[in-house]
């Protein structure tokens, strides 16, 4: 009830009549506890009250109070609705990312189980997760949702080692890998047809999602979801968890995801690792652009090389993007050296004295192993000075 609450307490004899003076009671509550039709309100008083006539048989008294009680009908109904949204989630692979998701799930009231080849008993206990190192024990707990959070490289062996027959046949399998076509095909080939499959990719991690998830992309594809309304409700409840956390929900096929991710995520990791190999260091005169590069290096350095290698090996589009990255670097390099070559030739052949057959463009590049010499001079022992725009000179051997 929203305004007038009922409390049952042992008192003198029972109830034969109950009458509200202002606020009606809930029909279901009256019928359940009093076995009679709901009371009708009276306008004689603005304060919620209950008067009753006590019989000598039941020893129960009804009183009106304003505080909500656990047996309140609306409270119990809301509790039932809330519990229907809570899931029993089993996480396979309790590493950094598995723990990252588990903390948020537990904080929202979901029951979380976990299994992993490495023992994480103490970590799981602190988070509020039930940890089972034996996968048989884990599966016998019958999680509604099995969330695969293992590394890309180990996913196939981990999945094939799970005693899937010990799970319920209507279990929902969810993967959170950074590549999507590979786990989609793997799950379809390894799991029984009655098992549901949801492929997802939270486009964030423990670093970028350390605080709020608001505005962060969450990609998903309902690969195989049964027609049973309970199955539909379950997958919707899981997706709603991420939506409630503020994620931008993006429904997309796994094939399209890999095509786009190769030119975004893989290129980002590649550039970050290249800059990391250069050992960039912060300076006293950092620009905002350079700060962004340092942040990129730090973010990619926190991810394992196995993750980066998995992005390359299990996304067929990654090789094409790597070649495009190399070609783009060559183009920029040729533009720089081509411009420098033009300046050098103009200084060597002033006033239009350059050989007529020589034509350079901004994209041409000299042969760095055998620099061009003036026409008619093929002696490799001769050297020509290269005058740089600053006035400094360097000898081309």
């Amino acid at each position: 009830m929203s305004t007038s609450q009922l409390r049952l307490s042992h008192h003198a004899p029972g109830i034969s009549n109950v009458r509200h003076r202002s606020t009606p009671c809930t029909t279901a509550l009256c019928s359940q506890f009093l076995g009679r039709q709901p009371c009708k309100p009276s306008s004689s008083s603005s304060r919620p009250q209950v008067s009753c006539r006590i019989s000598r048989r039941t020893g129960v008294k009804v009183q009106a109070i304003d505080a909500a009680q656990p047996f309140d009908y609306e409270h119990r109904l809301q509790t039932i609705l809330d519990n229907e949204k809570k899931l029993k989630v089993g996480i396979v692979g309790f590493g950094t990312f598995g723990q990252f998701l588990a903390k948020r799930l537990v904080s929202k009231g979901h029951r979380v189980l976990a299994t992993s080849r490495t023992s994480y008993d103490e970590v799981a206990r602190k988070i509020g997760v039930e940890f089972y190192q034996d996968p048989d024990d884990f599966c016998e707990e019958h999680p509604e949702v099995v969330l695969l959070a293992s590394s890309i490289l180990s996913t196939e062996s981990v999945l094939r080692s799970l005693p899937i027959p010990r799970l319920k046949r209507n279990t929902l399998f969810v993967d959170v890998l950074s590549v999507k076509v590979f786990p989609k095909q793997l799950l379809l080939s390894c799991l029984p047809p009655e098992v549901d499959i949801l492929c997802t990719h939270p486009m964030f991690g423990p670093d970028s999602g350390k605080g709020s998830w608001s505005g962060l992309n969450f990609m998903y594809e309902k690969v195989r979801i049964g027609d049973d309304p309970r199955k539909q409700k379950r997958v919707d409840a899981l997706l709603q968890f991420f939506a409630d956390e503020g994620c931008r929900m993006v429904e997309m096929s796994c094939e399209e995801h890999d095509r786009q991710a190769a030119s975004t995520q893989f290129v980002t990791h590649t550039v970050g690792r290249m800059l990391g190999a250069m050992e960039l260091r912060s300076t006293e005169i950092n620009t905002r652009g350079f700060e962004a590069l340092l942040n990129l290096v730090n973010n990619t350095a926190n991810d394992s090389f196995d993750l980066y290698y998995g992005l390359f090996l299990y996304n067929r589009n990654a090789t094409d993007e790597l070649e495009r990255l190399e070609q783009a670097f060559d183009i920029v390099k040729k533009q720089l050296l081509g411009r420098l070559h033009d300046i050098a030739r103009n200084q060597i052949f002033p006033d239009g004295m350059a050989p007529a057959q020589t034509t350079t463009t901004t994209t041409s590049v000299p042969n760095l192993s055998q620099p061009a010499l003036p026409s008619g001079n093929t002696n490799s022992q001769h050297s020509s000075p290269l005058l740089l725009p600053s006035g400094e000179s360097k000898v081309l051997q």
Side-chain angles (χ1 to χ4, degrees):
M1 293 178 293
S2 57
T3 57
S4 179
Q5 310 296 334
L6 295 180
R7 181 179 64 195
L8 300 181
S9 63
H10 290 288
H11 193 62
I15 303 168
S16 60
N17 182 42
V18 174
R19 174 171 54 83
H20 284 271
R21 292 180 179 175
S22 64
T23 306
C25 62
T26 306
T27 302
L29 191 60
C30 269
S31 61
Q32 180 176 351
F33 287 104
L34 306 179
R36 65 189 302 281
Q37 294 298 318
C39 307
K40 296 182 179 180
S42 172
S43 59
S44 60
S45 173
S46 60
R47 180 180 177 81
Q49 296 179 355
V50 174
S51 64
C52 60
R53 189 169 61 205
I54 307 298
S55 74
R56 295 179 177 277
R57 291 179 296 177
T58 60
V60 178
K61 181 181 179 180
V62 178
Q63 294 178 327
I65 60 175
D66 292 330
Q69 297 298 312
F71 55 78
D72 171 59
Y73 177 75
E74 293 180 1
H75 176 271
R76 288 185 299 164
L77 179 60
Q78 186 61 49
T79 301
I80 293 174
L81 294 176
D82 290 341
N83 288 337
E84 287 181 351
K85 297 179 181 179
K86 304 305 180 185
L87 297 169
K88 187 177 181 181
V89 181
I91 299 178
V92 179
F94 203 55
T96 302
F97 196 76
Q99 295 173 28
F100 168 67
L101 292 179
K103 291 177 183 177
R104 193 63 64 98
L105 286 165
V106 170
S107 70
K108 299 306 176 181
H110 300 282
R111 181 184 174 189
V112 180
L113 323 172
T115 185
S116 191
R117 291 176 293 184
T118 303
S119 177
Y120 290 102
D121 292 274
E122 185 63 22
V123 175
R125 185 186 61 79
K126 292 180 180 179
I127 298 175
V129 173
E130 304 169 37
F131 185 78
Y132 301 88
Q133 190 163 2
D134 189 330
D136 289 274
D137 294 339
F138 169 82
C139 291
E140 287 174 357
E141 288 295 318
H142 296 159
E144 301 174 84
V145 178
V146 173
L147 195 151
L148 293 174
S150 54
S151 68
I152 300 174
L153 300 181
S154 65
T155 295
E156 183 172 1
S157 62
V158 168
L159 179 61
R160 295 188 184 279
S161 67
L162 276 181
I164 295 175
R166 295 183 181 271
L167 295 167
K168 289 185 176 181
R169 289 178 296 176
N170 63 348
T171 304
L172 169 63
F173 268 76
V174 182
D175 90 279
V176 291
L177 301 187
S178 299
V179 293
K180 293 271 65 76
V181 173
F182 163 65
K184 176 181 178 179
Q185 295 175 346
L186 179 65
L187 293 173
L188 286 172
S189 63
C190 292
L191 297 178
E194 61 270 14
V195 172
D196 290 346
I197 300 174
L198 175 69
C199 287
T200 74
H201 183 194
M203 307 293 293
F204 51 91
D207 292 321
S208 55
K210 188 175 183 179
S212 171
W213 293 0
S214 179
L216 300 178
N217 290 329
F218 182 88
M219 171 271 167
Y220 68 96
E221 180 186 359
K222 297 180 181 179
V223 177
R224 186 174 68 199
I225 306 298
D227 295 331
D228 189 328
R230 291 173 297 181
K231 290 189 171 187
Q232 298 288 340
K233 182 181 292 186
R234 181 179 56 190
V235 71
D236 290 342
L238 180 63
L239 293 175
Q240 191 61 45
F241 159 74
F242 289 96
D244 290 343
E245 290 301 300
C247 294
R248 177 176 173 267
M249 309 300 287
V250 182
E251 187 168 8
M252 176 186 295
S253 71
C254 292
E255 291 74 15
E256 179 61 19
H257 167 276
D258 281 6
R259 188 189 68 80
Q260 294 189 23
S263 58
T264 55
Q265 187 181 31
F266 177 71
V267 169
T268 299
H269 276 261
T270 301
V271 173
R273 289 191 173 274
M274 289 170 57
L275 296 176
M278 293 176 61
E279 299 183 351
L280 298 182
R281 296 290 183 269
S282 180
T283 70
E284 297 179 356
I285 54 173
N286 288 357
T287 62
R288 291 186 177 180
F290 186 71
E291 291 286 353
L293 292 180
L294 291 178
N295 289 334
L296 174 61
V297 172
N298 292 333
N299 288 337
T300 53
N302 289 336
D303 293 321
S304 67
F305 186 82
D306 281 351
L307 170 62
Y308 175 58
Y309 182 64
L311 294 176
F312 171 74
L313 184 63
Y314 289 99
N315 188 340
R316 65 181 62 184
N317 303 285
T319 303
D320 294 337
E321 293 304 314
L322 190 61
E323 292 178 353
R324 290 182 63 225
L325 191 62
E326 291 178 334
Q327 292 171 0
F329 179 77
D330 287 340
I331 290 174
V332 173
K333 184 178 179 181
K334 289 178 180 179
Q335 288 176 337
L336 289 174
L337 296 181
R339 178 71 62 86
L340 183 63
H341 184 265
D342 288 345
I343 293 174
R345 292 191 67 83
N346 288 337
Q347 292 180 355
I348 294 172
F349 302 105
D351 302 325
M353 295 176 55
Q357 70 272 15
T358 302
T359 303
T360 61
T361 64
T362 58
T363 58
S364 63
V365 61
N367 185 342
L368 298 182
S369 62
Q370 183 64 44
L373 296 174
S375 177
N377 189 346
T378 59
N379 188 351
S380 60
Q381 300 299 320
H382 292 182
S383 61
S384 300
L386 171 61
L387 302 182
L388 302 178
S390 62
E392 299 177 356
S393 62
K394 183 176 180 180
V395 176
L396 292 176
Q397 297 295 341

